[in-house]
Amino acid sequence: MGCDGGTIPKRHELVKGPKKVEKVDKDAELVAQWNYCALSQEILRRPIVACELGRLYNKDAVIEFLLDKSSGKALGKAASHIKSIKNVTELRLSDNPAWEGDKGNTKGDKHDDLQRARFICPVVGLEMNGRHRFCFLRCCGCVFSERALKEIKAEVCHTCGAAFQDDDVIVLNGTKEDVEMLKSRMEERRLRARLEKKAKKPKAAESVSKLDVSEESAGPSKIKAGKPEETSLDSREKKITPASKSAAAAANGSSSGRVGKPPCGAAKRSIADSEESEAYKSLFTTHSSAKRSKEESAHWVTHTSYCF
């Protein structure tokens, strides 16, 4: 029954005790959260975006996820709350001048310092390696350390100057309590936006209906207003007699200085007897300047063959 060859078993080999809880290496967890995409598990590369729960993603991975939402993807649960590209914010990160990356590790024998981070806080200078709490502003996407926001209290972004509220501050890779708080705020924000959108639709419909009613009411009124004017003009034209028309024509002719056709039965008068100016009278053949004297008249006779 075993124990052959003089082997002596120990107690922990015979008695099964409770399983030990596997402890996750904190350094490895921090590296995975701050250097790798939460959706594709690839190294973070610009453009980097963050969701409303404070998780970091590659923008390309988010776009691919939105275009192909297959149920077979196990990693899709990390981005199940992302419904459109508007639910993520592109981050404005400040590079760390002391970070070299893989430039000096050409042979693969260089020690990787996990405390060294690619990005830093532009205000305080803390490295974004998970040892310090960082947050970003949802209105502009600028990233700061929580210490910078607490020490320099302002209602304006320290980098771009955009105004923000407390609701716009989102913690990056926060604890479970932070994630629950951010999730409740996200749901409230989306519910508020949905209600505002529903409230805008009836108002738009009412404004359109009012415009239609006003146009319909304005149309008949214009027609009604036009009819009395037309009838009054017709009645006035009918009331004008032929005698008044001739009198008006004669008055117009005398005022303008031109001689029009005289009315029936009126006596003809010459231009010479009128009171017009000499320049006006000289235009007619009855004027003295148009008459030639005997000296100015021709003294030859034109020969025409048809006379003989």
Side-chain angles (χ1 to χ4, degrees), residues 121 124 126 132-135 144-152:
C121 173
V124 184
L126 296 175
H132 309 280
R133 288 169 64 87
F134 272 73
C135 51
F144 305 98
S145 62
E146 195 175 39
R147 185 189 298 180
L149 291 177
K150 287 182 178 179
E151 290 181 358
I152 306 173

Side-chain angles (χ1 to χ4, degrees), residues 177-205:
E177 296 176 357
D178 295 333
V179 172
E180 290 178 359
M181 183 187 66
L182 292 173
K183 192 173 183 179
S184 61
R185 283 163 55 181
M186 178 187 68
E187 292 175 355
E188 291 176 0
R189 196 183 301 115
R190 291 184 180 181
L191 179 62
R192 198 184 311 121
R194 203 179 298 115
L195 293 175
E196 289 177 358
K197 190 175 181 180
K198 288 182 179 179
K200 286 180 181 179
K201 288 183 179 179
K203 291 182 180 179

Side-chain angles (χ1 to χ4, degrees), residues 149-262:
L149 291 177
K150 287 182 178 179
E151 290 181 358
I152 306 173
K153 294 182 179 180
E155 296 180 355
V156 178
C157 177
H158 303 309
T159 303
C160 62
F164 68 93
Q165 300 177 355
D166 296 336
D167 190 34
D168 295 330
V169 180
I170 297 177
V171 181
L172 288 172
N173 291 326
T175 60
K176 292 182 179 180
E177 296 176 357
D178 295 333
V179 172
E180 290 178 359
M181 183 187 66
L182 292 173
K183 192 173 183 179
S184 61
R185 283 163 55 181
M186 178 187 68
E187 292 175 355
E188 291 176 0
R189 196 183 301 115
R190 291 184 180 181
L191 179 62
R192 198 184 311 121
R194 203 179 298 115
L195 293 175
E196 289 177 358
K197 190 175 181 180
K198 288 182 179 179
K200 286 180 181 179
K201 288 183 179 179
K203 291 182 180 179
E206 288 179 2
S207 60
V208 171
S209 61
K210 286 181 180 179
L211 288 172
D212 295 339
V213 171
S214 60
E215 288 177 359
E216 290 176 0
S217 60
S221 63
K222 289 179 181 178
I223 295 169
K224 291 178 181 177
K227 285 182 178 179
E229 294 178 0
E230 294 175 359
T231 53
S232 60
L233 289 173
D234 295 338
S235 60
R236 288 177 185 175
E237 289 177 359
K238 290 178 181 178
K239 288 180 181 179
I240 296 173
T241 57
S244 60
K245 285 183 181 180
S246 60
N252 291 333
S254 61
S255 61
S256 61
R258 297 177 182 178
V259 178
K261 293 182 179 180

Side-chain angles (χ1 to χ4, degrees), residues 37-104:
C37 174
L39 184 60
S40 63
Q41 301 300 319
E42 296 178 356
I43 296 176
L44 289 173
R45 58 184 181 274
R46 283 192 172 93
I48 300 172
V49 297
C51 64
E52 294 173 296
L53 301 182
R55 295 168 185 163
L56 299 174
Y57 307 92
N58 287 327
K59 192 173 183 180
D60 299 340
V62 174
I63 294 173
E64 290 177 3
F65 169 74
L66 293 173
L67 294 175
D68 182 19
K69 292 184 178 180
S70 59
S71 58
K73 291 184 178 180
L75 297 176
K77 296 180 181 178
S80 58
H81 60 284
I82 300 176
K83 306 299 181 183
S84 67
I85 198 66
K86 294 181 180 179
N87 298 140
V88 295
T89 305
E90 187 171 346
L91 301 181
R92 297 181 180 179
L93 298 164
S94 302
D95 294 326
N96 185 6
W99 188 74
E100 296 180 357
D102 296 334
K103 294 179 181 179

Side-chain angles (χ1 to χ4, degrees), residues 302-308:
T302 303
H303 173 73
T304 307
S305 59
Y306 297 108
C307 298
F308 301 98

